[in-house]
C-alpha cells in the first residue's frame, strides 16, 4: 500500500506545510453516473456479442468478424475493465492539501491548483461516508472545446473511463476522511 503522508511530503516545496494527505476509497466503485453507464454497457456488450456469434453462423467472411470483436473488447471494458482501472487509480493516487496547493500525485507525476481557489464543489455521499471535491477547470478552449472535451471529461469523471476522452477532471474522489479534508481546505484557503 502507498503511504499518502510520505508521498505528499516528497512533493512539498521548501516553503510549504502539509495539512492533509489521503486517497480515495478503493471499495467505493459506483457513483450516480453508473445509473446510465451500467445499463448502457450491458446493452452494448450484449448486442455486440450477439452479432459476433451471428456472423460465423451467417457464413460471412472472417475479416467481417474484426470490427465486432474490437467492439466486444470495448464492451467488456465498459462492463468490467473500468472498475479495475478505478480501483488501481484509488490505490495509487494520493491527494494532498498544503499551505499553498491542492495536489494530485500519481506514479506518472503530479498536478496541482492553488489552494486559495474557491471554485470547488464538495459532494458527500449518503450518510457522509465519502467526500469528493471537484475544482472548476473553466471552459475548454480550442479543439478540445469544439469537440466537447470539457463536458466529456465531466461526464466520465470517476467512472474508470475518465482520461480516455481528454484530461481528467481535477478532483479528489471518494475520500473517507472527508471532514479532515474539508477542514484542511478551509484552513489553507484563509
Amino acid at each position: 500500500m502507498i503511504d499518502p503522508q510520505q508521498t505528499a511530503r516528497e512533493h512539498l516545496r521548501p516553503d510549504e506545510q502539509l495539512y492533509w494527505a489521503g486517497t480515495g476509497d478503493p471499495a467505493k466503485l459506483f457513483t450516480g453516473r453508473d445509473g446510465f453507464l451500467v445499463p448502457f454497457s450491458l446493452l452494448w456488450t450484449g448486442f455486440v456479442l450477439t452479432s459476433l456469434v451471428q456472423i460465423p453462423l451467417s457464413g460471412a467472411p472472417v475479416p467481417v468478424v474484426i470490427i465486432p470483436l474490437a467492439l466486444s473488447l470495448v464492451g467488456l471494458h465498459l462492463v468490467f475493465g473500468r472498475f479495475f482501472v478505478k480501483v488501481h487509480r484509488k490505490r495509487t493516487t494520493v491527494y494532498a492539501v498544503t499551505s499553498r496547493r491542492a495536489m494530485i500525485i500519481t506514479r506518472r507525476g503530479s498536478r496541482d491548483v492553488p489552494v486559495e481557489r474557491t471554485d470547488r464543489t464538495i459532494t458527500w455521499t449518503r450518510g457522509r461516508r465519502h467526500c469528493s471535491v471537484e475544482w472548476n477547470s473553466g471552459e475548454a478552449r480550442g479543439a478540445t472545446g469544439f469537440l466537447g472535451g470539457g463536458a466529456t471529461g465531466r461526464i466520465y469523471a470517476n467512472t474508470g473511463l475518465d482520461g480516455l476522452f481528454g484530461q481528467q477532471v481535477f478532483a479528489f474522489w471518494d475520500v473517507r476522511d472527508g471532514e479532515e479534508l474539508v477542514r484542511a481546505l478551509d484552513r489553507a484557503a484563509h
Side-chain angles (χ1 to χ4, degrees):
M1 279 302 279
I2 195 166
D3 179 3
Q5 295 285 325
Q6 180 60 36
T7 302
R9 281 190 193 97
E10 292 169 3
H11 287 81
L12 287 179
R13 295 176 182 156
D15 58 344
E16 279 183 309
Q17 285 182 292
L18 180 63
Y19 290 165
W20 177 88
T23 62
D25 181 2
K28 176 108 171 50
L29 293 178
F30 294 98
T31 69
R33 292 172 175 101
D34 289 304
F36 168 75
L37 284 174
V38 168
F40 173 78
S41 63
L42 291 172
L43 286 171
W44 170 283
T45 306
F47 175 75
V48 171
L49 290 176
T50 301
S51 66
L52 190 61
V53 169
Q54 294 298 320
I55 290 172
L57 297 176
S58 69
V62 174
V64 174
V65 175
I66 293 172
I67 291 175
L69 186 60
L71 293 175
S72 66
L73 293 176
V74 170
L76 291 174
H77 180 71
L78 288 170
V79 173
F80 302 109
R82 68 189 181 93
F83 294 107
F84 290 107
V85 169
K86 193 171 179 178
V87 168
H88 173 74
R89 284 183 182 159
K90 288 183 178 185
R91 288 188 175 153
T92 60
T93 301
V94 171
Y95 306 131
V97 177
T98 74
S99 53
R100 295 179 173 261
R101 304 177 287 161
M103 295 188 292
I104 298 174
I105 305 164
T106 66
R107 291 179 182 167
R108 293 183 184 159
S110 65
R111 297 189 301 155
D112 60 67
V113 296
V115 79
E116 313 78 54
R117 282 183 51 184
T118 56
D119 60 337
R120 62 179 183 254
T121 304
I122 299 171
T123 309
W124 293 90
T125 59
R126 245 182 249 157
R128 294 178 72 89
R129 293 181 60 195
H130 295 93
C131 173
S132 294
V133 181
E134 289 181 67
W135 278 263
N136 182 2
S137 59
E139 293 298 318
R141 295 188 178 111
T144 304
F146 179 73
L147 298 173
T152 306
R154 291 214 179 276
I155 289 169
Y156 296 110
N158 196 26
T159 63
L161 298 173
D162 43 339
L164 293 176
F165 306 102
Q167 188 172 8
Q168 292 177 306
V169 172
F170 192 93
F172 295 179
W173 298 116
D174 305 321
V175 174
R176 268 194 232 156
D177 58 341
E179 296 290 344
E180 289 296 318
L181 168 59
V182 171
R183 271 195 288 280
L185 286 168
D186 289 344
R187 177 181 176 197
H190 292 99

